[in-house]
Amino acid sequence: MLTFRGNFQWLVFVITMLNMLVLPVLSPEKSHANTPESTDSLLLNTNDTSEQSSESVVENNQDNNYLLNQVTPLSEIVSPENRRANTSKPKDKNSAASQVNSVSQLSDVKPTDWAFQALQSLVERYGAIAGYPDSTFKGDRALTRYEFAAGLNVALDRLNEIIASSTGDLVKREDLDTIKKLQQEFSPELANLRGRVDGLEARAAILESQQFSPTTKLTGRVQIVLGSLLAGDNVLTKRPAPRVVTLQDSVSLRLNTSFTGKDSLGITMGGGNIESLGQTRAGLLGTFDGRTADNANVTRPRNDFSISGVRYRFPLSDKTQINIYALSDGANELGFTIPINPYFESSLATGSNGISRFSRRALVYQYGDSGGGIAVLHKFNQQFQVGVAYSAPNANNFAENNGLFTGRYLALAQVLYTSPKSNFRAALTYVNTYSPPNAQGLSGTNFGPAAGSNLVNSTVPGTGTVANLYGIQAFYRFSPRFAINGWVSYAAHRYLGRGDGKAMDWAVGLAFPDLGKRGSLGGLFVGMAPKLMSLSKNVDLGAGLGQADKDLSLHIEGFYQYKLADNIEITPGFIWVTAPDSNDNNPDSLFAWVRTVYRF
């Protein structure tokens, strides 16, 4: 948006307008040849969303319209009746801006100001200045197009009155001499300004013709990861896992498009070759324990670039938001709106924080893989928000026991409380999920939190599985440099026609923002990853009838995210898992991780 350097400079412009429009009436020898061809060259298109969101543009325009509406038309304030009214009634500082009859009424205008005499003349002789409601002129502030239009309107109204009155005593010869002098003195600046605006208009036209989209913003994240297992065995083979140093990568791009200024169409694309520490039984350690979060998609070739998320978000009302997604999950849509675990959770905009999948999310959020669905969020007030979501991981699959309503699904409901100072958050979450019988007859491939022990991620071959999950999560910021978060989750599994199982997890995370440097972050996390606590005697998930996880396994994680530059962070960290797969017979595993993130 075009702005002048200060209100005193639009004052010069108004004086010039007085010269150009008054002198031709009072001085017939004056020619129109010196009149600018058009004032359009001084006004640029304000539909610029390159530096701010569509929402902020709308808000700013509303603010400017408010200022414009606060300026009283000169025709209403220069009449003798209104002049008398202005002097007889006390001024209400909260009322709309009104005509000032003396420059002394403007509290921020001083006799030492360089344009004081010109301003005094416009106020006391021509009545062409209206102050702000707080009796200020704000001469050192940038001028918006709306304020310029309002001031110009006042000046033109006054000029029309002068011309209509046809009285020479309204404009004195010394004033005209002053106007001529000011016009000559500032003509180079006005000419320079006109040239700069013409150049900006040309550049803006080029940008508009070459831009990708007037409403689309591209953000991205590139990760380079150096990692190695330092200790640990494969829990299935009981042999030491390879201690190999790897250098891996991932790339994520997101296009955010707004059509109305309040909605958002998000398309996420990405690919990579990061092998997770504990992604599947076929992984490095033969268990889901210690699963890293930055891993590549296990169903696609490495470094295969593909769409990983499609979501359209729009407001149904001032307090209700609808998210329709063809590729995402309900936990994402609800969790990322107001993160309950902001220092460990990950998003494309803020970059990654916690190293493992477990440190970022509780068990109650972990059962939903990406798929199609809908999420609705409603804000009762500043403190309470409720959200519901329905996701189907295989919504795009036409095969039997798949699709949006006949296959695997996850239904989620959550109540979130945020304190007035936003330093405390707490959420109660409930999830109901169903996984149909596995067509391949293999257990553990389509159900579970994809974190923790192997048994908690297992099903009975050929049997459908239902689960009801319950979770409570909380976050408290003690100070700008220290915060704590934690959760407890419980899951009741029912292996249809066979029996029941019970699962649980808990965790505590400590965050140290601005540790060592502004923008850096330290994190320490301890918890029990999802574990099968009990199992019906007639159910066998691979360890024998009625066999649940036996021992306590602790997940201990630490990281330090050091801010190298505004958009670059390097994060060394570690994951230490005691008794992997909840079995004391398995030696502890220790994994080192150094992640560098570039965001744009």
Side-chain angles (χ1 to χ4, degrees):
M1 177 183 294
L2 172 64
T3 59
F4 293 93
R5 284 182 296 173
N7 280 349
F8 282 129
Q9 289 189 304
W10 80 258
L11 172 64
V12 174
F13 183 83
V14 172
I15 293 175
T16 305
M17 293 296 298
L18 285 169
N19 182 36
M20 292 185 291
L21 298 179
V22 175
L23 290 185
V25 176
L26 303 180
S27 305
E29 70 278 7
K30 182 70 177 179
S31 170
H32 285 280
N34 293 331
T35 304
E37 296 178 357
S38 172
T39 60
D40 291 342
S41 62
L42 295 175
L43 305 178
L44 292 179
N45 192 329
T46 60
N47 295 327
D48 178 12
T49 59
S50 61
E51 294 294 333
Q52 54 186 329
S53 66
S54 301
E55 291 90 338
S56 63
V57 172
V58 173
E59 292 171 358
N60 288 340
N61 285 344
Q62 290 172 344
D63 292 340
N64 288 330
N65 280 321
Y66 171 78
L67 290 175
L68 180 60
N69 293 333
Q70 294 296 84
V71 180
T72 305
L74 187 66
S75 60
E76 300 179 9
I77 61 177
V78 296
S79 63
E81 293 79 10
N82 284 338
R83 285 183 181 275
R84 286 194 296 271
N86 287 338
T87 57
S88 61
K89 295 182 180 181
K91 183 177 178 63
D92 181 3
K93 67 179 181 178
N94 295 319
S95 63
S98 60
Q99 171 66 36
V100 293
N101 300 315
S102 172
V103 72
S104 62
Q105 292 179 247
L106 300 173
S107 61
D108 59 343
V109 176
K110 300 177 181 179
T112 55
D113 291 330
W114 65 271
F116 177 81
Q117 290 184 351
L119 178 61
Q120 185 179 44
S121 176
L122 285 174
V123 170
E124 299 178 0
R125 295 188 183 277
Y126 298 107
I129 295 296
Y132 281 83
D134 59 355
S135 300
T136 61
F137 184 63
K138 305 187 188 303
D140 58 351
R141 189 179 61 80
L143 177 70
T144 68
R145 288 178 60 180
Y146 291 99
E147 293 167 320
F148 173 78
L152 180 60
N153 181 66
V154 172
L156 292 177
D157 282 348
R158 184 58 178 149
L159 289 174
N160 288 334
E161 286 197 358
I162 293 174
I163 295 172
S165 65
S166 299
T167 57
D169 59 346
L170 291 177
V171 181
K172 295 186 177 182
R173 174 54 57 185
E174 57 266 27
D175 293 333
L176 296 178
D177 292 339
T178 300
I179 292 174
K180 290 180 181 180
K181 182 178 179 181
L182 286 172
Q183 182 189 21
Q184 293 173 357
E185 180 178 353
F186 289 98
S187 59
E189 289 191 3
L190 292 173
N192 179 266
L193 179 62
R194 188 180 304 112
R196 292 173 60 188
V197 171
D198 289 342
L200 288 173
E201 286 183 332
R203 293 171 61 187
I206 294 174
L207 290 174
E208 288 181 356
S209 64
Q210 295 179 350
Q211 66 184 345
F212 177 75
S213 167
T215 59
T216 299
K217 182 178 180 180
L218 172 67
T219 58
R221 181 179 69 200
V222 176
Q223 297 186 122
I224 299 176
V225 173
L226 180 72
S228 177
L229 181 70
L230 303 180
D233 291 355
N234 186 296
V235 301
L236 300 179
T237 66
K238 306 299 182 181
R239 301 183 62 180
R243 275 68 162 164
V244 177
V245 178
T246 59
L247 185 63
Q248 304 168 92
D249 68 84
S250 71
V251 177
S252 297
L253 301 176
R254 177 173 293 170
L255 296 171
N256 285 315
T257 301
S258 180
F259 303 99
T260 67
K262 295 183 178 180
D263 62 344
S264 173
L265 173 64
I267 301 174
T268 305
M269 300 162 285
N273 64 0
I274 300 178
E275 300 294 339
S276 175
L277 173 64
Q279 191 163 356
T280 66
R281 289 176 176 81
L284 191 64
L285 297 175
T287 177
F288 290 88
D289 265 328
R291 177 180 179 181
T292 50
D294 302 315
N295 49 271
N297 191 319
V298 296
T299 64
R300 303 192 66 86
R302 296 297 175 258
N303 284 325
D304 178 62
F305 199 78
S306 60
I307 295 177
S308 56
V310 178
R311 180 261 297 144
Y312 180 60
R313 177 179 296 167
F314 64 95
L316 186 64
S317 67
D318 291 341
K319 295 185 177 181
T320 304
Q321 181 187 93
I322 307 294
N323 297 354
I324 299 174
Y325 43 92
L327 189 59
S328 183
D329 68 74
N332 254 344
E333 298 304 320
L334 297 184
F336 283 169
T337 304
I338 303 179
I340 305 170
N341 186 16
Y343 292 118
F344 288 85
E345 184 60 277
S346 170
S347 71
L348 186 63
T350 60
S352 302
N353 295 328
I355 296 173
S356 70
R357 181 183 175 103
F358 177 48
S359 70
R360 296 182 183 181
R361 286 189 172 191
L363 170 149
V364 72
Y365 296 125
Q366 301 278 22
Y367 284 65
D369 289 342
S370 294
I374 183 172
V376 181
L377 291 94
H378 179 76
K379 192 173 185 179
F380 290 106
N381 50 46
Q382 294 297 323
Q383 275 65 61
F384 285 96
Q385 172 184 285
V386 63
V388 294
Y390 176 88
S391 299
N394 301 313
N396 65 324
N397 195 329
F398 286 99
E400 186 179 1
N401 290 331
N402 286 281
L404 184 61
F405 299 111
T406 57
R408 182 181 175 192
Y409 73 82
L410 180 143
L412 184 151
Q414 177 172 282
V415 176
L416 173 67
Y417 169 80
T418 303
S419 67
K421 294 184 179 181
S422 298
N423 62 336
F424 173 72
R425 297 177 194 148
L428 297 175
T429 310
Y430 167 74
V431 174
N432 174 262
T433 182
Y434 167 73
S435 182
N438 193 310
Q440 287 76 30
L442 301 176
S443 64
T445 59
N446 66 342
F447 177 82
S453 71
N454 286 337
L455 289 179
V456 80
N457 289 278
S458 297
T459 60
V460 177
T463 300
T465 309
V466 174
N468 290 292
L469 318 175
Y470 310 86
I472 179 170
Q473 307 91 45
F475 164 83
Y476 186 75
R477 183 185 295 110
F478 288 90
S479 71
R481 293 181 178 271
F482 177 64
I484 185 171
N485 71 279
W487 68 73
V488 176
S489 301
Y490 170 80
H493 297 175
R494 172 152 293 180
Y495 312 98
L496 298 179
R498 302 297 181 90
D500 300 328
K502 294 179 174 59
M504 186 177 177
D505 77 338
W506 58 264
V508 176
L510 307 178
F512 305 89
D514 297 332
L515 180 64
K517 181 180 180 181
R518 184 176 180 84
S520 296
L521 173 67
L524 183 63
F525 179 89
V526 179
M528 182 185 75
K531 170 185 176 181
L532 191 66
M533 306 295 293
S534 65
L535 186 66
S536 296
K537 294 181 179 181
N538 57 336
V539 178
D540 186 356
L541 296 178
L545 289 173
Q547 293 297 313
D549 288 319
K550 299 182 298 182
D551 303 312
L552 173 65
S553 173
L554 290 179
H555 177 112
I556 303 168
E557 179 177 332
F559 67 86
Y560 179 57
Q561 184 171 288
Y562 182 75
K563 193 176 185 67
L564 292 174
D566 287 342
N567 295 316
I568 304 176
E569 298 107 15
I570 184 169
T571 307
F574 68 90
I575 299 173
W576 172 23
V577 178
T578 70
D581 202 31
S582 298
N583 189 338
D584 284 341
N585 294 325
N586 296 322
D588 294 359
S589 62
L590 179 63
F591 196 79
W593 194 259
V594 181
R595 177 185 62 218
T596 305
V597 178
Y598 307 86
R599 291 181 287 106
F600 57 89

